[in-house]
Amino acid sequence: MPSALPLKKARFAENDKIGRWIDTSRAIHSLPHVATTHPWARRVHGVAPYEHRYLVESDCWVEKFKDSSFSLKPVEFRPVKAKKRKMVLQDGSSILRTYETDIELRSCEEGGVGIMSQHATAQVNRPSIPLARWGIDRISNVVFVPELSLVVGASMSGRVALITLTKPQPRHDQHEWLFERGFKIEAILPTRRDEDAGLRPICPLYGVAVGPLPVATGSGDNKARNNLRYRLMIHYYNLRILSYEISRNVDTNRLQVA
């Protein structure tokens, strides 16, 4: 199960150019069963798992925006105060945007705090493999599964991020969180075990598909809703298909992948 990112490891960045952001890139290293280094690179070149950590620490996206107004510090709380909120979009929606290997959630209000996860689907690969064999790093296949509060973000390189949309829990003191909405990455597929077994082919992604599985319905709607299961299929250019079953535990609210 993924563990929460300690608050002290999240970074708050702010300046006049980029606005205000919370960087949660370090959270990827708290996920179990994630192959941040390709098995060929581990076996042949002895690449240590910390190299991806080095990528997160040394190639932080906010570094290029440093100026006199820039600040980078741990995340903190703010005092509760009444304010008139001005929404970016009229319906109050937030925008989730994906890049090559990065994921960001823009704030729903003007001057609000966004969430950024950098290098989420990045992987340390064997340098001798031509880039064309992997496909371009670009999270371009995005599927929303509202029943699971889940966004599936698939990269052309063949890696898939399972992203849960979240909201901070209300605090019972005189402070509140800096942000209104957030997200967390709960899994990266294929799993480390599947990559070590050679199940992920050395070719680009063809596409992904997500659909509900039939469930046994009992009396009332709660039982059916609590047993929602979905099938996620990852299709590669060589016609190999990897299939996973995903559901959400109603007691812990964690995403389960089988």
Side-chain angles (χ1 to χ4, degrees):
M1 290 184 179
S3 57
L5 178 70
L7 192 62
K8 63 182 180 180
K9 289 191 175 183
R11 294 171 287 189
F12 177 73
E14 176 181 20
N15 83 347
D16 297 337
K17 294 181 181 179
I18 64 174
R20 303 192 298 165
W21 292 87
I22 294 176
D23 180 83
T24 61
S25 304
R26 293 168 173 167
I28 198 70
H29 301 123
S30 65
L31 294 178
H33 317 304
V34 175
T36 54
T37 302
H38 191 270
W40 287 9
R42 293 198 303 268
R43 288 196 296 264
V44 177
H45 297 278
V47 178
Y50 68 79
E51 287 214 2
H52 188 275
R53 296 178 185 271
Y54 176 77
L55 180 66
V56 170
E57 298 298 332
S58 64
D59 187 27
C60 185
W61 64 282
V62 298
E63 295 293 329
K64 64 183 71 174
F65 297 104
K66 282 189 174 181
D67 58 20
S68 58
S69 66
F70 177 82
S71 65
L72 181 65
K73 56 187 178 182
V75 177
E76 57 188 18
F77 303 106
R78 62 185 177 189
V80 176
K81 59 180 180 180
K83 60 177 180 178
K84 185 177 181 180
R85 301 170 61 191
K86 186 176 181 181
M87 297 298 177
V88 176
L89 301 177
Q90 290 185 355
D91 62 355
S93 299
S94 298
I95 298 175
L96 183 74
R97 186 156 61 175
T98 59
Y99 297 88
E100 286 84 357
T101 61
D102 310 336
I103 303 166
E104 73 172 28
L105 181 68
R106 304 191 68 85
S107 175
C108 60
E109 58 180 325
E110 292 189 5
V113 178
I115 309 294
M116 167 65 84
S117 179
Q118 190 182 18
H119 306 302
T121 59
Q123 187 181 53
V124 178
N125 293 321
R126 184 175 174 180
S128 60
I129 301 176
L131 180 61
R133 294 292 302 276
W134 285 109
I136 300 172
D137 271 323
R138 186 176 71 246
I139 306 175
S140 56
N141 290 260
V142 180
V143 182
F144 179 40
V145 187
E147 294 82 1
L148 298 179
S149 299
L150 180 72
V151 175
V152 178
S155 170
M156 292 299 296
S157 66
R159 308 192 78 212
V160 180
L162 302 184
I163 309 158
T164 294
L165 304 177
T166 64
K167 293 182 67 175
Q169 294 182 349
R171 294 178 57 84
H172 301 292
D173 53 19
Q174 298 301 313
H175 292 76
E176 63 180 3
W177 294 95
L178 284 172
F179 61 99
E180 302 288 341
R181 298 167 185 167
F183 69 87
K184 60 180 178 180
I185 299 173
E186 297 213 59
I188 301 290
L189 301 176
T191 62
R192 182 184 177 113
R193 180 184 62 184
D194 291 344
E195 294 229 22
D196 288 350
L199 297 182
R200 176 189 169 199
I202 310 299
C203 65
L205 179 79
Y206 194 79
V208 292
V210 186
L213 291 173
V215 295
T217 57
S219 57
D221 295 334
N222 288 336
K223 184 175 180 180
R225 184 166 54 251
N226 293 345
N227 287 280
L228 284 178
R229 297 180 298 140
Y230 277 72
R231 177 70 64 190
L232 168 64
M233 305 184 77
I234 308 173
H235 192 182
Y236 293 91
Y237 260 81
N238 69 344
L239 303 185
R240 174 170 292 181
I241 296 176
L242 299 183
S243 179
Y244 297 90
E245 181 180 309
I246 55 178
S247 60
R248 192 169 295 282
N249 188 303
V250 295
D251 296 322
T252 63
N253 207 30
R254 292 185 184 275
L255 194 71
Q256 297 177 319
V257 181

